[in-house]
Amino acid sequence: MNYLAHIYLARHSDDAMVGALLGDFVKVNAQAIYPAEVVQEIQLHRYIDSYTDSHPIVRSAVQRFGEGRRRYAGIVLDVFYDHLLSRRWAEYSSGPKAELIQRFYLAVAQYEPLLPERLRAILPHMVAQDWLGSYEELASVELAIKRISQRLSRNGHLMREGLLDVREHYDALAAGFDQFFPQLIRFAEQKRSSMRLLPLIAEASE
């Protein structure tokens, strides 16, 4: 999943949303510098990504991409799913999307001295151009994919060409998301609850 989905899943607190974003930018050994709730969401971010990548609906969606482009389909789908979540926001949240996004931007700014260099570099652009708010438009998804593809050492064109598959199979991919995302919400809630129990279990065994 991409930024907006991870932040939505962690919307219960500001620290959780920061951790949800950091999951894409920090290594495991970098977690010690952050508060416990941030660290938990960094870890949960990785569970969410693993669950998403292995889910039958997502794996089926990958097969809709051209053979040479399937290698990059997961990345394209991550951003496209943010687009779908943005479009369907009222189905999943009673609060305004713009308010949550602004709350997130303020929260992550408070952590600026502790952010990894790559995130510090892109954060001003993310906020100024409102990347999270812009995903509602498919053109912004295409821009994001083009931006990501430029970081590849080769075959960036194959990732960009995956946008052709998105346009061709838009309705089918959207229908798959509608089935998958509620399951992901339940997984994230259950996994977060089980992670919170771990310290209690450890204390009881001492």
Side-chain angles (χ1 to χ4, degrees), residues 49-73:
D49 282 352
S50 295
Y51 177 85
T52 298
D53 292 343
S54 63
H55 197 283
I57 291 175
V58 178
R59 292 170 71 91
S60 177
V62 168
Q63 296 306 307
R64 293 186 180 278
F65 286 69
E67 186 172 347
R69 302 189 285 270
R70 287 176 195 159
R71 178 179 177 184
Y72 306 99

Side-chain angles (χ1 to χ4, degrees), residues 102-158:
Q102 288 304 313
R103 177 183 144 203
F104 163 73
Y105 289 153
L106 292 172
V108 75
Q110 299 301 310
Y111 277 90
E112 197 275 338
L114 298 179
L115 298 180
E117 182 177 350
R118 183 163 70 91
L119 180 52
R120 285 203 308 272
I122 70 170
L123 186 60
H125 304 287
M126 179 186 292
V127 175
Q129 299 169 16
D130 188 19
W131 289 3
L132 301 184
S134 71
Y135 287 138
E136 185 166 345
E137 301 301 325
L138 190 58
S140 294
V141 172
E142 295 174 341
L143 179 61
I145 292 301
K146 290 174 182 177
R147 188 186 301 120
I148 296 168
S149 73
Q150 290 169 357
R151 299 202 300 264
L152 299 179
S153 58
R154 61 178 182 173
N155 294 331
H157 67 286
L158 293 176

Side-chain angles (χ1 to χ4, degrees), residues 23-189:
D24 274 331
F25 293 91
V26 302
K27 298 179 180 179
V28 174
N29 61 4
Q31 296 176 12
I33 65 174
Y34 300 108
E37 188 171 15
V38 174
V39 172
Q40 176 180 274
E41 290 297 326
I42 292 172
Q43 295 169 338
L44 182 59
H45 176 116
R46 296 182 175 131
Y47 286 122
I48 288 169
D49 282 352
S50 295
Y51 177 85
T52 298
D53 292 343
S54 63
H55 197 283
I57 291 175
V58 178
R59 292 170 71 91
S60 177
V62 168
Q63 296 306 307
R64 293 186 180 278
F65 286 69
E67 186 172 347
R69 302 189 285 270
R70 287 176 195 159
R71 178 179 177 184
Y72 306 99
I75 298 172
V76 177
L77 284 172
D78 280 350
V79 183
F80 179 62
Y81 284 169
D82 266 10
H83 164 72
L84 295 172
L85 173 59
S86 186
R87 286 288 181 97
R88 290 156 164 73
W89 189 263
E91 298 177 23
Y92 296 107
S93 177
S94 59
K97 177 178 56 180
E99 286 186 12
L100 181 69
I101 290 172
Q102 288 304 313
R103 177 183 144 203
F104 163 73
Y105 289 153
L106 292 172
V108 75
Q110 299 301 310
Y111 277 90
E112 197 275 338
L114 298 179
L115 298 180
E117 182 177 350
R118 183 163 70 91
L119 180 52
R120 285 203 308 272
I122 70 170
L123 186 60
H125 304 287
M126 179 186 292
V127 175
Q129 299 169 16
D130 188 19
W131 289 3
L132 301 184
S134 71
Y135 287 138
E136 185 166 345
E137 301 301 325
L138 190 58
S140 294
V141 172
E142 295 174 341
L143 179 61
I145 292 301
K146 290 174 182 177
R147 188 186 301 120
I148 296 168
S149 73
Q150 290 169 357
R151 299 202 300 264
L152 299 179
S153 58
R154 61 178 182 173
N155 294 331
H157 67 286
L158 293 176
M159 182 183 292
R160 294 190 294 273
E161 288 171 5
L163 295 166
L164 300 174
D165 299 300
V166 167
R167 287 190 173 276
E168 180 178 355
H169 301 291
Y170 187 105
D171 290 343
L173 294 173
F177 174 84
D178 291 338
Q179 292 180 291
F180 162 69
F181 197 65
Q183 297 177 42
L184 177 62
I185 293 172
R186 289 193 295 272
F187 169 81
E189 291 172 347

